């Protein structure tokens, strides 16, 4: 019960740190239709809001599972690896590989959903950032 509230409070503090310190310090303005700090600010407000939900929610007793913890740690390692590979391989190849890994960790077995998710989510993200907003993403090295 207290652990969930601790996580909620830490999430609120982290969101505030992002919103009031890190984003203004690290994100610079560039000309374009949308401010580059918009998506980081949305993420920071989500940390704050979801931390409040976690802080105020009724706690339910749960059992700790090392298996689920190991799956989460492996997925976090894959996300970190994708972040390191993205400048070398480009956004689309690394995002498609990451989406395939996420779908495998979710045990998704419907092939149409898999194909749609693995291809359309990275392609849609690329389209919104590069074409619509004019913000560059790491490109293919060739």
């Amino acid at each position: 019960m207290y652990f969930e509230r601790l996580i909620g409070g830490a999430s609120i503090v982290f969101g505030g740190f992002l919103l009031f310190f890190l984003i203004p310090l690290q994100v610079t303005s560039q000309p374009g239709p949308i401010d580059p700090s918009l998506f980081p600010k949305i993420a920071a407000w989500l940390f704050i809001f979801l931390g409040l939900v976690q802080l105020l929610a009724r706690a339910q007793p749960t059992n700790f599972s090392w298996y689920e913890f190991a799956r989460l740690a492996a997925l976090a390692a894959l996300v970190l690896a994708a972040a390191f590979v993205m400048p070398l391989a480009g956004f689309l190849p690394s995002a498609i590989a990451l989406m395939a890994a996420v779908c495998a960790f979710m045990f998704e077995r419907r092939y149409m959903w898999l194909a749609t998710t693995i291809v359309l989510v990275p392609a849609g993200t690329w389209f919104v950032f590069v074409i619509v907003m004019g913000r560059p993403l790491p490109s293919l090295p060739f």
Side-chain angles (χ1 to χ4, degrees):
M1 177 169 145
Y2 294 111
F3 186 67
E4 287 86 3
R5 293 205 169 111
L6 179 67
I7 291 173
S11 177
I12 293 169
V13 170
F14 181 67
F17 171 74
L18 285 175
L19 191 63
F20 299 114
F21 179 71
L22 198 61
I23 294 171
L25 184 68
Q26 295 294 323
V27 179
T28 58
S29 292
Q30 295 176 353
I34 295 179
D35 183 25
S37 68
L38 176 67
F39 288 105
K41 284 180 181 177
I42 290 172
W45 279 111
L46 280 173
F47 270 106
I48 293 170
F49 173 72
L50 294 174
L52 279 172
V53 169
Q54 182 73 20
L55 191 67
L56 301 175
R58 280 201 162 166
Q60 307 258 332
T62 58
N63 294 329
F64 183 78
S65 169
W66 282 104
Y67 173 73
E68 292 298 324
F69 178 77
R71 288 184 63 219
L72 178 64
L75 186 60
L78 282 173
V79 170
L80 185 63
F84 282 120
V85 168
M86 195 173 292
L88 303 172
F91 173 78
L92 281 175
S94 57
I96 288 172
L98 181 61
M99 284 306 301
V102 168
C103 288
F105 272 89
M106 292 177 10
F107 299 118
E108 181 61 58
R109 298 295 178 245
R110 295 171 289 183
Y111 296 117
M112 186 58 89
W113 279 107
L114 279 172
T116 303
T117 302
I118 291 171
V119 173
L120 289 184
V121 169
T125 304
W126 175 85
F127 179 79
V128 167
F129 277 91
V130 174
I131 304 299
V132 175
M133 295 190 312
R135 301 286 174 214
L137 291 172
S139 60
L140 296 171
F142 48 86

